[in-house]
């Protein structure tokens, strides 16, 4: 996106000094609506094979040669919540392995710390995650 031009930045300052953009925001739903959606997402079915797949991926981050600090159990919980939400948004009441693949990079990327040697070699965290996904056998889920 880049930086604004000098003139655009001046306009931003002028607008900000005259009104707060947050004052004109209108709500699109009530807090109760969000709570209800969360309850619906919580009802999305997760097969035991999916639980196993998630935990195996997380465990693999703890003994990977390029990772100094792997993911903690809180990451497993976050990943589970994300995949249930993905399934729900895809109009399904069950999780599939592809749901994990959709969010795994976003969930893990900022939670893993590469080793010094990996950083020096230019290892990219996304490549490490990709290699973990190749190592951990994807479950076959009957739908």
């Amino acid at each position: 996106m880049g930086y604004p031009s000098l003139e655009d930045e001046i306009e931003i300052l002028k607008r900000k000094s005259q009104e707060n953009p947050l004052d004109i925001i209108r709500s699109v739903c009530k807090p109760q609506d969000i709570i209800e959606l969360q309850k619906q997402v919580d009802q999305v079915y997760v097969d035991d094979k999916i639980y196993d797949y998630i935990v195996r991926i997380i465990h693999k981050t703890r003994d990977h040669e390029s990772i100094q600090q792997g993911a903690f159990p809180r990451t497993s919980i976050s990943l589970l919540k994300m995949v249930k939400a993905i399934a729900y948004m895809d109009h399904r009441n069950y999780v599939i392995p592809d749901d994990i693949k959709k969010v795994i990079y976003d969930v893990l990327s900022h939670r893993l710390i590469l080793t010094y040697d990996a950083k020096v070699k230019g290892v990219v965290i996304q490549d490490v995650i990709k290699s973990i996904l190749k190592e951990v056998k994807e479950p076959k889920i009957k739908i």
Side-chain angles (χ1 to χ4, degrees):
M1 188 166 152
Y3 295 110
S5 68
L6 187 67
E7 296 80 18
D8 288 342
E9 195 160 353
I10 290 170
E11 186 60 33
I12 290 168
L13 286 176
K14 285 181 178 180
R15 272 188 277 141
K16 184 70 175 166
S17 69
Q18 294 170 0
E19 65 182 33
N20 184 349
L22 297 178
D23 292 339
I24 60 171
I25 293 177
R26 294 188 184 135
S27 65
V28 293
C29 63
K30 300 174 187 148
Q32 300 88 337
D33 298 332
I34 294 171
I35 291 168
E36 181 56 34
L37 284 171
Q38 288 173 331
K39 287 178 182 177
Q40 290 175 22
V41 168
D42 286 343
Q43 297 305 309
V44 170
Y45 173 75
V46 181
D47 190 276
D48 284 344
K49 292 177 183 177
I50 294 291
Y51 286 117
D52 182 73
Y53 187 45
I54 289 171
V55 171
R56 287 183 186 280
I57 291 168
I58 298 305
H59 273 252
K60 203 69 165 155
T61 69
R62 299 174 191 160
D63 63 13
H64 194 281
E65 64 183 20
S66 296
I67 299 175
Q68 176 182 330
Q69 181 177 306
F72 288 93
R74 182 182 283 177
T75 305
S76 302
I77 295 166
S78 297
L79 181 56
L80 178 64
K81 288 180 180 183
M82 288 292 295
V83 298
K84 288 174 97 173
I86 290 294
Y88 182 83
M89 290 188 303
D90 283 348
H91 308 287
R92 277 183 282 105
N93 63 351
Y94 56 90
V95 172
I96 59 175
D98 282 348
D99 296 331
I100 294 167
K101 293 176 189 172
K102 286 180 184 177
V103 297
I104 192 74
Y105 295 94
D106 296 321
V107 173
L108 287 181
S109 292
H110 66 284
R111 292 189 162 116
L112 305 177
I113 299 174
L114 293 175
T115 64
Y116 176 77
D117 289 342
K119 290 177 190 176
V120 168
K121 291 177 184 175
V123 172
V124 179
I125 197 71
Q126 286 80 2
D127 291 338
V128 174
I129 296 168
K130 185 186 287 186
S131 75
I132 289 171
L133 287 176
K134 285 180 182 177
E135 290 178 44
V136 179
K137 186 178 178 189
E138 180 181 316
K140 302 294 182 211
I141 305 295
K142 293 184 182 183
I143 302 168

